Amino acid sequence: EVQLGRKEEHALALSALEEMNLDDQLVLLVTYVDQLPGPEAAQILDMTFDAFRQRLSRARKTLRKKLEKRAQEPAPDGAEILAAWDALLRPEGEGPS
């Protein structure tokens, strides 16, 4: 049950992330998926560290609002969402995770 709940939470988060603009998605992905430190993420995204911190703060707020809205709607098809993101994030040639 716990694992199923986590998958549903991940699907909900990814579904909300899909609704965000690309800049906010990138800031969140390099921070949480790639787990890059702020200065390195800022450099990769070609912005100052202060601009990165501001964008990350704004992206977190946007994601939080979208998650709150999503929580009140019917649940998305979690398996479909997770499969799409898994394919997107998996390096070329790697099998499914």
Side-chain angles (χ1 to χ4, degrees):
E1 280 184 40
V2 171
Q3 192 168 13
L4 179 60
R6 285 187 188 137
K7 284 187 178 187
E8 289 174 356
E9 288 175 2
H10 290 161
L12 182 67
L14 293 172
S15 169
L17 190 63
E18 287 176 338
E19 295 178 2
M20 297 175 67
N21 70 53
L22 184 57
D23 290 336
D24 288 347
Q25 286 181 23
L26 288 173
V27 168
L28 291 168
L29 290 173
V30 298
T31 301
Y32 295 105
V33 175
D34 295 335
Q35 297 182 344
L36 296 177
E40 187 177 340
Q43 183 179 13
I44 287 172
L45 296 172
D46 195 29
M47 62 179 66
T48 66
F49 180 61
D50 286 340
F52 170 79
R53 288 182 26 202
Q54 288 177 340
R55 182 163 296 158
L56 179 60
S57 176
R58 186 177 62 234
R60 285 176 176 154
K61 287 177 187 174
T62 300
L63 181 60
R64 189 175 309 114
K65 287 179 185 177
K66 290 191 178 297
L67 286 172
E68 289 169 358
K69 180 183 171 192
R70 285 276 188 181
Q72 297 175 5
E73 297 173 351
D77 180 4
E80 184 177 312
I81 293 168
L82 291 173
W85 275 91
D86 184 53
L88 178 68
L89 297 174
R90 187 177 343 111
E92 287 277 327
E94 271 190 29
S97 55

